[in-house]
Amino acid sequence: MLFYSAYPQYEFKYGVHDPHTGDVKNQWESRDGDVVKGSYSLVEPDGSTRTVHYTADKHSGFNAVVKKSGHSSHPQHYGHHGY
């Protein structure tokens, strides 16, 4: 009995940009046989953007490069101190 498996090959991408919730992210990935390549990014709660580029294959395993860009910002909180 012979078994044949399909050659693994795909591509996908998606993105979200919701100004109401602040959810901003995207991703793409492709696979050709045993080689996977991709990238994703997201806006962190501090306003900076984290981007990850990755590759994976049977010889090198999984490898990722992470970069952070933009300026971190933290909101000012003003409270009433009861004076």
Side-chain angles (χ1 to χ4, degrees):
M1 181 182 264
L2 293 174
F3 291 97
Y4 296 96
S5 59
Y7 182 81
Q9 191 171 34
Y10 63 82
E11 290 186 18
F12 76 86
K13 64 181 174 177
Y14 77 93
V16 173
H17 189 113
D18 187 341
H20 179 70
T21 64
D23 189 14
V24 179
K25 58 190 168 196
N26 63 60
Q27 180 179 8
W28 70 267
E29 183 175 287
S30 66
R31 180 174 181 178
D32 189 9
D34 291 330
V35 178
V36 177
K37 296 178 184 179
S39 177
Y40 67 88
S41 68
L42 59 105
V43 175
E44 299 276 13
D46 68 2
S48 65
T49 300
R50 179 179 8 151
T51 303
V52 179
H53 297 280
Y54 59 90
T55 59
D57 62 48
K58 65 181 180 178
H59 300 290
S60 300
F62 179 81
N63 293 285
V65 176
V66 181
K67 294 184 180 180
K68 196 167 189 171
S69 61
H71 297 286
S72 299
S73 63
H74 300 281
Q76 295 290 328
H77 295 283
Y78 300 98
H80 179 66
H81 296 289
Y83 296 110

